[in-house]
Amino acid sequence: GINAEYMGTYRLCTAQQRQQASEDIERHTTLLYRAPEMINLYSGHCINEAVDVWALGVCLFYLMYFQLPFEEQSLQIINGRYTIPDHPEYPQPLKALLGSLLTVAAPQRPDIWAAASLMNAFHPTPAELLQRPAITSANILPYQHEEDLFHFPTSPVSHSTT
């Protein structure tokens, strides 16, 4: 098997371990969400929970910009080369969070606790939450077609039972 320092961390020391890890990674992961250390198994970085933080960064990028940060090119991922679109615009602290999650060097990426702490900075206060319109089944359920998902009503939709 692979030499684990502790459960969930893999240090690849031999060609056989790298081959086994490569097969597992190919079988169980998607290239566009893989961390650089999962592509370059000779990097010397452990494969541990830092890969999940990277994947979180990929997901956050997608939620922010409606596209993935990397094309299906391993070299682009290994080098951490992505472009932040001009629109929509987000506050610099949120972009900084995104950059920290997509840090190429795994040891420099925040762990999940540090990432959660950074994300907590974006939580609205209770007073801010009270000022937002409520999201209810009444203003979500009436959408029958995919294109309707991007056109939200200004007021809740009422359903008649007649």
Side-chain angles (χ1 to χ4, degrees):
I2 296 174
N3 180 15
E5 287 181 351
Y6 60 92
M7 189 168 174
T9 298
Y10 301 101
R11 182 175 300 281
L12 308 174
C13 300
T14 68
Q16 181 181 5
Q17 290 170 339
R18 279 189 287 279
Q19 180 61 35
Q20 180 183 353
S22 177
E23 289 171 7
D24 286 345
I25 289 167
E26 285 292 322
R27 187 177 312 117
H28 300 292
T29 67
T30 303
L31 175 63
L32 295 171
Y33 292 86
R34 286 183 198 148
E37 61 271 23
M38 295 173 77
I39 296 170
N40 180 6
L41 298 177
Y42 293 91
S43 69
H45 294 299
C46 292
I47 297 176
N48 57 21
E49 66 278 351
V51 302
D52 297 325
V53 172
W54 176 275
L56 178 64
V58 172
C59 291
L60 179 61
F61 190 101
Y62 187 81
L63 290 171
M64 291 169 65
Y65 299 108
F66 309 107
Q67 66 186 44
L68 292 168
F70 305 102
E71 297 172 15
E72 290 197 42
Q73 298 176 11
S74 298
L75 195 56
Q76 194 180 22
I77 296 169
I78 290 170
N79 293 321
R81 292 205 176 132
Y82 60 92
T83 302
I84 294 182
D86 293 333
H87 298 287
E89 294 183 26
Y90 291 100
Q92 188 55 40
L94 185 57
K95 290 179 184 178
L97 169 64
L98 181 62
S100 71
L101 298 176
L102 294 176
T103 298
V104 171
Q108 295 174 1
R109 247 177 258 147
D111 64 18
I112 194 61
W113 302 110
S117 177
L118 291 169
M119 286 183 205
N120 280 336
F122 300 102
H123 281 241
T125 65
E128 291 170 329
L129 284 174
L130 290 172
Q131 294 174 0
R132 292 183 179 179
I135 297 175
T136 66
S137 60
N139 54 7
I140 293 176
L141 290 179
Y143 302 111
Q144 301 296 318
H145 304 287
E146 194 172 316
E147 61 271 7
D148 292 337
L149 292 174
F150 301 102
H151 303 287
F152 295 97
T154 54
S155 61
V157 176
S158 63
H159 296 281
S160 66
T161 56
T162 58

